Amino acid sequence: MQRRDVGGGGEHLAEADLTDRFRTLWDEIAPIGRDDRSGGYLRYALTEPELRLREWFRDQAGRRGMPVTEDGNGNLFAWWGEPAAGGAVLTGSHFDSVPHGGAYDGPLGIVSAFLAVDELRAAGVAPARPLVVGAFVEEEGARFGVPCLGSRLLTGEIAVDRAAGLRDAAGVSFAEALGARPAGARPELVGSFAAFVELHVEQGRALVDGDAPVAVASAIWPHGRWRFEFTGEGNHAGTTRMADRRDPMLTYAFTVLAANKEARLRGAHATVGRVSVEPNATNAIPSKVTGWLDARAAEPDTLTGLVDAVRAKAAERARRDGTEVALTEESATPLVAFDGGLAGRLAALLDAPVLPTGAGHDAGVLAAHVPTAMLFVRNPTGVSHSPAESATDADCAAGVTALARVLEELACR
């Protein structure tokens, strides 16, 4: 069996054994929150499935003698080394999912982090500074509407009052789900991190086309979420003449098509994947339609131009339809260029390609405060936020090996 060296720290366990150990650990969490009908996951933040995963996190940390701390915002941190020592290297990701999402988006980074700790220990390597495995809360924003909520709170990028008052579809506030008012910014904790490295399944096909199992991220596109509220006049579907209607569904439908066209013209991305209709009756003209626009682009000016164009077209169509439209920005993340020196250093260390991404991550929030990098693991389908998202056990093992090398480089020298 082939042996692997992590750079002066002795031999690793056999590669085939690492693949088996990945599968064993992965199988512990794979059933949690899976929907039998869709095959996707319903792991919303601070709901029963995600709480079970958080207990699994504590158990895994306990097995490794890694004390777990909380930051008062719902984020968990397992420490190998003394937290007060400073200069810690943080790794990890999140457990929560989008509705009926894939298995790997988020949890792969946490499972891989614990296995990377195992790899270092098996090689006889100990950290020269604290090594921390983190689990961030509400990264997807699927329950409370704001993505990367935990990391935004930790870094002070969202007001505590706003975060505490965010409500899910059942009217439960984030503070109620958390069990307390969130603590908000923790500058002393953030300041104790010398680097953050997040491993994540790739959300595209670049590694498939490039025939590489692992890559290093260069940047995250600027992106955000905007809520369009279209209001008109509810009325009877059978008795209201077409000429007399003030139907907000028409304005909404036009806006979806306009967003698609404007994004294509700019080489950007625009998606309306969520809609709410009132009164939501088959035989009633809607009185209100709410749609959420997810928009992303490679450059900030392109994103601004896209949203402005969609807003203008929606407003013009509303005048023609006799309806009204209001636009509210729910979240916005600027262009994130990961620490160039760190990304280049890791790409050279791993002999890995460097890729940009259009997906948002906690790493994108932390990057404004801590030198940050990301590793991507190949996704053979190229599909994400869907049950079709996947990764082979061999590629996941390669990701663990890569992460272990990175953590050794950053925390153990």
Side-chain angles (χ1 to χ4, degrees):
M1 237 183 285
Q2 183 181 359
R3 312 289 287 188
R4 301 193 311 281
D5 194 297
V6 293
E11 290 185 339
H12 269 276
L13 300 178
E15 184 171 355
D17 185 45
L18 176 57
T19 304
D20 292 342
R21 286 185 290 113
F22 171 81
R23 174 46 55 183
T24 297
L25 199 58
W26 191 254
D27 284 346
E28 290 186 13
I29 68 168
I32 300 173
R34 180 191 286 146
D35 181 75
D36 292 337
R37 292 170 299 175
S38 71
Y41 286 84
L42 302 171
R43 293 168 168 170
Y44 303 137
L46 303 175
T47 62
E48 189 270 338
E50 203 249 9
L51 292 173
R52 287 176 59 192
L53 291 169
R54 291 160 72 87
E55 285 306 308
W56 176 90
F57 179 95
R58 290 180 181 279
D59 179 64
Q60 292 298 317
R63 293 184 192 183
R64 293 165 175 81
M66 300 172 69
V68 175
T69 62
E70 298 190 45
D71 67 350
N73 298 306
N75 304 315
L76 303 177
F77 301 96
W79 296 79
W80 182 11
E82 176 54 49
V89 176
L90 174 65
T91 187
S93 193
H94 62 95
F95 284 125
D96 64 299
S97 74
V98 300
H100 302 281
Y104 292 81
D105 182 353
L108 179 63
I110 297 174
V111 170
S112 298
F114 281 126
L115 287 172
V117 168
D118 295 344
E119 286 285 280
L120 293 174
R121 286 178 167 171
V125 177
R129 56 197 61 82
L131 199 162
V132 191
V133 178
F136 290 94
V137 72
E138 182 69 333
E139 192 270 356
E140 298 291 4
R143 182 175 182 187
F144 296 103
V146 175
C148 301
L149 182 58
S151 54
R152 289 181 195 271
L153 276 164
L154 172 64
T155 56
E157 293 195 8
I158 186 171
V160 172
D161 286 345
R162 182 190 173 203
L166 294 170
R167 295 187 179 275
D168 66 10
V172 177
S173 73
F174 178 68
E176 290 168 339
L178 188 64
R181 175 182 165 84
R186 293 285 306 278
E188 79 290 349
L189 179 57
V190 175
S192 73
F193 299 135
F196 175 43
V197 180
E198 182 175 3
L199 180 145
H200 204 280
V201 70
E202 187 194 8
Q203 296 171 294
R205 291 187 51 85
L207 288 177
V208 175
D209 296 339
D211 194 27
V214 178
V216 176
S218 59
I220 296 176
W221 281 13
H223 58 278
R225 299 180 183 186
W226 289 263
R227 184 179 72 250
F228 280 88
E229 294 176 293
F230 307 92
T231 54
E233 182 178 66
N235 214 328
H236 196 292
T239 61
T240 308
R241 297 185 306 172
M242 299 301 287
D244 294 338
R245 300 184 179 206
R246 297 171 50 227
D247 187 350
M249 184 63 78
L250 299 178
T251 319
Y252 162 77
F254 177 87
T255 302
V256 173
L257 295 175
N260 176 70
K261 179 178 179 179
E262 293 299 328
R264 290 175 182 271
L265 289 173
R266 291 168 169 79
H269 295 170
T271 307
V272 181
R274 177 184 171 197
V275 61
S276 172
V277 182
E278 299 175 19
N280 203 29
T282 304
N283 59 350
I285 299 166
S287 58
K288 183 177 181 179
V289 178
T290 305
W292 283 263
L293 170 69
D294 179 303
R296 306 167 190 247
E299 300 295 335
D301 289 348
T302 305
L303 180 62
T304 299
L306 167 61
V307 175
D308 286 347
V310 176
R311 178 194 289 113
K313 290 202 167 187
E316 171 57 28
R317 178 71 193 203
R319 286 191 288 271
R320 293 164 54 191
D321 292 335
T323 59
E324 296 180 355
V325 59
L327 178 62
T328 302
E329 178 186 285
E330 289 196 337
S331 68
T333 301
L335 174 67
V336 175
F338 289 117
D339 186 289
L342 181 57
R345 180 180 170 190
L346 300 190
L349 175 71
L350 302 174
D351 189 24
V354 179
L355 305 173
T357 178
H361 304 279
D362 290 307
V365 176
L366 269 293
H369 306 270
V370 177
T372 298
M374 288 193 72
L375 303 180
F376 294 133
V377 172
R378 178 166 51 194
N379 175 350
T381 65
V383 175
S384 189
H385 284 187
S386 157
E389 175 185 276
S390 68
T392 68
D393 289 354
D395 281 354
C396 291
V400 171
T401 300
L403 182 60
R405 293 186 66 191
V406 166
L407 296 177
E408 183 194 15
E409 176 75 12
L410 297 179
C412 304
R413 295 188 183 278

